[in-house]
């Protein structure tokens, strides 16, 4: 047992020694091999016996032998030089990385400065660093700047000063975040009237965020988390909200014209007087949604769930309601003129003073609708 431990110890030490002095050992071995013919002649070996490789004279043999080891030496020198260059490159890379890390740390430090201009400088520095080395700093940059927005906009002093519009600092940071593709977290942030036109906010967490009258036209909000967010009067024209979670979201008076909301969750959402003209709501979930006075002209609501939805005075002229579920919905004074009602479920739905054709009336009655004219 002791001998085995001694053997393993010696083996480990020997391996470490070989790795540390590999090139010296290799050169010694090759030099020894190179000297063999000379040693043999010195010890009296017949020169004729030294002729190898099909050579007739000893001179030709030694010329070839020296040339061969000259090539080996040159190859070793080239390999050793390449290794040295790689080590130097690695050292330079480490120094550059250290410089970038110091720059990153300084930028983060500036975000805590009392001066707004200093904080903006830190944010811009992070932005440029992340643009140049996105894989290295992109994720961190998004997380840090998102956290910075949440902290700054929750301060009472900020709320008192910038109640109607974001500060230049917050807007510039939003512009930076809107360019990226990482998931950002702006939970409960105060961003009233923020300019986020065309922003990339896919899968962003905007739960409880105040985005009243914000400009989100043509923004990408695919699978965004907007539960109980405040978007009254917001401009979402042409925005992509496919699969977004808008449960309990306040979208009163918002413009959602030509927006994409297929498969979106709008349970209990407030869409009172919202402009949903031409919007794509295929397979959307609008259970108990509040749509009083909403403009849904030409909207695509195929296979949408509108169970117990509140649609008083809603404008659904020319809308596609094929396969939609309006069970228990309140359809008082709704305009359904020209709407496609094939396979629509009106079971228990209340209809009073609705604008429909006779043909539509028969379809609704057959689908379980209750008229209270």
């Amino acid at each position: 047992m002791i001998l085995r431990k001694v053997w393993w110890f010696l083996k480990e030490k020997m391996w470490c020694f070989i790795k540390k002095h590999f090139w010296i050992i290799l050169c010694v071995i090759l030099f020894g091999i190179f000297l063999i013919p000379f040693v043999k002649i010195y010890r009296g070996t017949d020169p004729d016996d030294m002729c190898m490789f099909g050579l007739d004279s000893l001179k030709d043999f030694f010329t070839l032998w020296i040339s061969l080891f000259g090539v080996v030496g040159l190859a070793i020198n080239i390999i050793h030089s390449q290794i040295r260059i790689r080590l130097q490159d690695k050292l330079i890379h480490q120094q550059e990385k250290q410089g970038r890390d110091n720059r990153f740390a300084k930028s983060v430090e500036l975000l805590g400065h009392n001066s707004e201009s200093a904080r903006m400088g830190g944010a811009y520095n992070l932005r440029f660093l992340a643009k140049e080395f996105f894989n290295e700093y992109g994720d961190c940059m998004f997380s840090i700047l998102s956290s910075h927005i949440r902290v700054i906009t929750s301060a009472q002093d900020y709320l008192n000063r910038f109640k109607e519009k974001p500060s230049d600092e917050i807007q510039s940071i939003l512009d930076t975040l809107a360019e990226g593709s990482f998931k950002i977290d702006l939970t409960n942030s105060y961003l009233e009237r923020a300019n986020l036109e065309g922003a990339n906010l896919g899968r962003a967490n905007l739960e409880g965020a105040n985005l009243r009258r914000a400009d989100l036209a043509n923004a990408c909000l695919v699978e965004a988390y907007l539960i109980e967010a405040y978007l009254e009067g917001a401009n979402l024209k042409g925005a992509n909200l496919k699969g977004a979670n808008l449960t309990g979201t306040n979208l009163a008076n918002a413009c959602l014209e030509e927006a994409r909301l297929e498969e979106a969750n709008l349970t209990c959402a407030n869409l009172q007087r919202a402009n949903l003209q031409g919007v794509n709501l295929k397979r959307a979930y609008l259970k108990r949604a509040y749509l009083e006075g909403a403009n849904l002209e030409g909207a695509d609501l195929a296979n949408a769930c509108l169970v117990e939805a509140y649609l008083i005075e809603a404008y659904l002229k020319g809308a596609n309601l094929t396969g939609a579920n309006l069970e228990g919905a309140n359809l008082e004074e709704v305009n359904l003129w020209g709407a496609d009602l094939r396979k629509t479920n009106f079971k228990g739905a209340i209809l009073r003073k609705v604008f429909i054709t006779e043909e539509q009336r028969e379809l609704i009655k057959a689908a379980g609708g209750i008229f209270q004219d």
Side-chain angles (χ1 to χ4, degrees), residues 150 153-154 185-190 205-210 230:
R150 294 198 303 272
T153 59
S154 64
D185 186 357
L186 295 172
T187 307
N188 298 318
S189 299
Y190 189 88
N205 187 351
L206 293 157
E207 181 179 3
N210 186 335
Y230 301 91

Side-chain angles (χ1 to χ4, degrees), residues 94-371:
Q94 288 174 345
Q95 290 172 343
E96 289 176 347
K97 176 71 166 62
Q98 186 176 0
R100 292 197 301 271
D101 288 343
N102 291 337
R103 180 180 162 193
F104 183 83
K106 182 63 178 176
S107 300
V108 174
E109 185 181 337
L110 283 171
L111 289 176
H113 202 277
N114 291 329
S115 169
E116 182 177 326
S117 59
R119 293 197 300 269
M120 286 180 70
Y124 276 119
N125 204 14
L126 281 176
R127 176 185 181 182
F128 295 138
L129 192 61
K131 272 191 171 183
E132 192 174 355
F133 306 98
F134 192 80
N135 293 332
E136 193 172 345
Y137 297 105
D139 197 9
C140 291
M141 184 268 288
F142 276 95
S143 298
I144 290 167
L145 293 184
S146 296
S147 176
H148 182 68
I149 288 177
R150 294 198 303 272
V151 171
I152 293 294
T153 59
S154 64
Q156 191 58 50
D157 180 57
Y158 178 88
L159 295 173
N160 292 337
R161 292 176 59 198
F162 302 102
K163 208 166 186 177
E164 295 297 319
K165 188 179 179 182
S167 65
D168 292 339
E169 174 191 0
I170 296 302
Q171 185 60 62
S172 65
I173 295 174
L174 285 172
D175 293 340
T176 297
L177 296 177
E179 294 174 0
S181 57
F182 280 90
K183 182 179 177 180
I184 63 174
D185 186 357
L186 295 172
T187 307
N188 298 318
S189 299
Y190 189 88
L191 303 169
E192 185 160 341
R193 290 204 179 202
N195 182 6
L196 290 161
E197 184 179 357
N200 185 355
L201 297 168
R203 300 179 65 239
N205 187 351
L206 293 157
E207 181 179 3
N210 186 335
L211 287 156
R212 289 186 179 98
R213 295 173 288 177
D215 187 357
L216 288 149
N218 300 309
C220 175
L221 289 153
V222 175
E223 297 181 6
Y225 201 69
L226 287 149
I227 289 177
E228 296 181 355
Y230 301 91
L231 286 151
E232 300 101 306
N235 180 13
L236 288 147
K237 184 176 181 179
N240 188 349
L241 290 136
K242 183 178 180 179
N245 192 335
L246 295 133
T247 302
T249 301
N250 192 338
L251 287 153
N253 299 300
C255 176
L256 289 146
E257 189 178 348
E258 297 177 359
R260 292 184 60 185
L261 281 154
E262 61 262 46
E263 300 174 11
N265 187 350
L266 288 144
T267 302
C268 299
N270 181 3
L271 290 152
Q272 186 177 14
R273 294 182 299 278
N275 183 1
L276 293 151
Q277 189 173 4
V279 72
N280 185 344
L281 281 157
K282 286 181 179 178
R283 299 178 298 280
Y285 200 75
L286 291 137
K287 187 175 182 179
R288 292 192 294 276
Y290 192 75
L291 290 147
E292 182 181 5
N295 181 2
L296 287 148
E297 183 180 3
D300 192 347
L301 288 147
N303 300 304
C305 176
L306 290 147
V307 173
E308 299 176 10
Y310 196 77
L311 287 151
I312 292 177
E313 297 181 0
Y315 193 71
L316 285 150
K317 185 178 179 180
N320 180 13
L321 287 156
T322 306
N325 187 356
L326 286 147
E327 186 175 347
N330 189 331
L331 294 155
E332 185 175 345
E333 297 186 39
V334 168
N335 188 334
L336 289 164
W337 197 270
D340 191 340
L341 304 177
R342 290 173 298 173
K343 300 181 181 179
T344 306
N345 181 8
F346 284 97
K347 184 178 179 181
I350 304 300
L351 295 100
R352 186 184 298 115
K353 299 179 181 178
V354 291
F355 298 90
I356 52 174
T357 64
E358 285 301 319
E359 185 182 351
Q360 287 176 319
R361 181 181 290 270
E362 295 304 317
L363 276 172
I364 293 168
K365 282 183 178 179
I370 301 169
F371 286 92

